[in-house]
Amino acid sequence: MRRYLFVVTLLAATVACGAIDDLLNPNRDDFSSHYDVQPDVAACSAGTLKEADRQAALTALNDVRGLHALPPVSYESSWDDQVTGAALIMAANGALSHAPSSDWSCWSQAGYDGAAASNLSIRTGATADGSDRFIYDWLTDVGDTAGGIGHRQWILYPFLSKVAFGRVDGTPINGDRVVTATALRVIGATQSASSMEIDYVAYPVREYPAWLVDVSYWLSFSPIASIDTPGGANVAVDLSAATVSMTGDDGSVLAITATAYENSSGAPLSAFRWKAAGIVAGRTYTVTVSACKVNGVYKSYTYTFKLV
């Protein structure tokens, strides 16, 4: 679904947590510590998420953005009703949609608006883990049902300026197991990225925490056509001919096993993504992305990363 306000299918992710995860975390259904008022999904009540949870999500987001030298974002509390309403709709129905119809259980206009402008996720089996976990999940994006990196693009969008986070734990109306549904509003406010020292967003880049990267999934790169042009920068970038190469500090050449690109007006930035075999922590890799058409000119970019 590519639709108005940059909403794309890449924003919705479903992560299933099975029996093994339950054994590893036997207290995963004890989510009470996250709320001042507990949710009651059967009554279409979202409860009241603790302020500490909202701030934990914001802190995690800004920590991740700091790894990329991206400007920090602030919290927009006026969006809380929207993201909470969106999370309640997803929890009540045990499903995800950026455009839930009015016949969905616990539907509200605020929740609909939140769903249309947010990263969404749902987990089968509620979790006692902190709300910062969902920021990290959206960054790695392994659970994206469309198989892309839409969540990551919004997390690392240079022009992002404000967010709001909502969470609801409970049993779907027609379900029999607790779920955790979350929403992070990322659409609706932009800022200048003029403080950036580089004109691209790469994942991973420089020294990067190994636990924030799944080496079996997509690495990604987005040139920025203009650090002064939110949104419009996307249309000046064409990655349809882009290629990538990776070498290790031992001289090895890594095999690129898959490539793809996103170059639609429905995405926050154009993105080139690829998978590479043989990435290990502690080794420095040099990445060269070539044939990127930016503002009508073909360019190559070279950078390094090391998982630590």
Side-chain angles (χ1 to χ4, degrees):
M1 174 181 66
R2 296 189 182 277
R3 54 192 301 277
Y4 180 63
L5 283 179
F6 295 163
V7 179
V8 295
T9 46
L10 299 178
L11 293 178
T14 303
V15 182
C17 300
I20 293 178
D21 200 15
D22 288 334
L23 290 173
L24 292 174
N25 187 358
N27 297 317
R28 55 185 291 103
D29 288 343
D30 181 16
F31 55 81
S32 60
S33 63
H34 299 292
Y35 296 91
D36 289 324
V37 177
Q38 300 301 301
D40 184 350
V41 174
C44 290
S45 173
T48 304
L49 188 66
K50 286 184 178 296
E51 181 62 23
D53 269 68
R54 300 189 192 279
Q55 289 304 312
L58 178 66
T59 297
L61 176 57
N62 281 328
D63 286 348
V64 165
R65 290 175 64 84
L67 293 171
H68 299 262
L70 297 173
V73 303
S74 61
Y75 197 91
E76 182 52 66
S77 58
S78 68
W79 292 344
D80 280 346
D81 286 348
Q82 292 186 3
V83 290
T84 299
L88 176 60
I89 293 172
M90 307 310 148
N93 294 274
L96 296 176
S97 174
H98 290 294
S101 59
S102 58
D103 61 351
W104 279 42
S105 298
C106 302
W107 188 93
S108 67
Q109 185 63 55
Y112 178 93
D113 293 342
S118 299
N119 280 2
L120 303 174
S121 75
I122 192 167
R123 290 178 173 274
T124 56
T127 174
D129 292 338
S131 293
D132 54 345
R133 170 176 176 170
F134 300 97
I135 302 299
Y136 305 134
D137 288 348
W138 282 316
L139 176 68
T140 58
D141 233 359
V142 176
D144 193 314
T145 55
I149 56 167
H151 301 99
R152 183 190 305 167
Q153 284 202 69
W154 283 109
I155 293 291
L156 301 180
Y157 184 42
F159 307 103
L160 183 67
S161 66
K162 296 179 180 180
V163 297
F165 177 80
R167 169 177 177 164
V168 173
D169 296 80
T171 304
I173 300 297
N174 294 315
D176 58 6
R177 189 179 183 192
V178 173
V179 303
T180 299
T182 59
L184 180 76
R185 178 162 172 172
V186 290
I187 297 173
T190 59
Q191 64 178 322
S192 170
S194 59
S195 62
M196 291 184 62
E197 298 177 356
I198 53 179
D199 58 353
Y200 60 83
V201 177
Y203 168 87
V205 68
R206 298 182 290 273
E207 289 197 350
Y208 209 88
W211 65 277
L212 287 177
V213 180
D214 185 325
V215 296
S216 70
Y217 203 59
W218 299 109
L219 281 64
S220 58
F221 178 85
S222 293
I224 303 172
S226 170
I227 59 175
D228 297 315
T229 311
N234 186 61
V235 299
V237 175
D238 181 359
L239 301 175
S240 58
T243 60
V244 64
S245 63
M246 291 180 58
T247 57
D249 54 14
D250 61 348
S252 60
V253 178
L254 275 64
I256 305 302
T257 61
T259 61
Y261 73 94
E262 298 162 16
N263 209 154
S264 167
S265 59
L269 287 179
S270 296
F272 182 71
R273 48 190 167 97
W274 67 96
K275 298 180 181 180
I279 300 172
V280 295
R283 177 157 290 165
T284 299
Y285 295 96
T286 299
V287 181
T288 299
V289 184
S290 304
C292 302
K293 191 176 183 181
V294 182
N295 294 318
V297 178
Y298 283 97
K299 300 177 63 175
S300 293
Y301 300 80
T302 298
Y303 62 94
T304 63
F305 74 84
K306 179 181 180 181
L307 302 183
V308 296

